[in-house]
Amino acid sequence: QVQLAESGGGSVQAGGTLRLSCVVSRYTIQNKCIGWFRQVPGKEREGVAAIRRDNRVYSDSVKDRFTVSQDNAKNTAYLQMNTLDPEDTAMYYCAAGNQWFCDLRKDGYDHWGRGTQVTVSS
């Protein structure tokens, strides 16, 4: 089965940096859409970044602070998170799909990881 495994989460203070990784198994991510989402308990999962080839999209809340990338040789996607804010605290998920629109809508993604927790304290 297709598997996505996130890692790199943790606890940091405001202004800190984390880099999340998403290792994908049994599914080649080259030319596919990879999205990053986050969710706080009781709230809807929201998209923060997505990438397919050289096309990248970001939510307004993370633009200029987060960078999404991928290493096709490692079949791994990344989310570099800089200048973290307590409002970034959430469970972060990576997702993969082959949809026409590579965007931040979660219904276009077929495969999801289990998430990695990011906690930012002030």
Side-chain angles (χ1 to χ4, degrees):
Q1 308 91 325
V2 176
Q3 291 186 354
L4 287 73
E6 304 95 335
S7 63
S11 298
V12 298
Q13 290 191 318
T17 297
L18 286 173
R19 189 180 77 155
L20 307 183
S21 298
C22 175
V23 178
V24 182
S25 301
R26 292 178 286 277
Y27 188 90
T28 301
I29 67 172
Q30 187 175 17
N31 301 320
K32 302 300 194 302
C33 183
I34 303 296
W36 286 95
F37 296 78
R38 65 187 183 187
Q39 187 170 27
V40 176
K43 294 186 177 181
E44 186 177 358
R45 191 170 300 185
E46 65 167 340
V48 297
I51 181 172
R52 180 167 59 201
R53 304 184 188 98
D54 292 330
N55 184 59
R56 297 169 172 85
V57 294
Y58 300 95
S59 67
D60 290 339
S61 62
V62 309
K63 184 174 59 177
D64 299 325
R65 297 188 299 119
F66 291 10
T67 303
V68 63
S69 62
Q70 65 185 66
D71 185 334
N72 290 327
K74 297 180 178 180
N75 213 45
T76 300
Y78 304 93
L79 185 67
Q80 179 71 39
M81 305 187 295
N82 298 328
T83 319
L84 283 162
D85 186 272
E87 293 185 358
D88 297 316
T89 295
M91 184 73 74
Y92 282 73
Y93 301 86
C94 65
N98 196 33
Q99 64 269 37
W100 180 261
F101 295 106
C102 188
D103 56 24
L104 304 180
R105 295 176 295 179
K106 59 181 182 292
D107 59 353
Y109 296 85
D110 300 315
H111 310 289
W112 293 81
R114 293 181 178 180
T116 185
Q117 179 68 38
V118 171
T119 302
V120 185
S121 60
S122 60

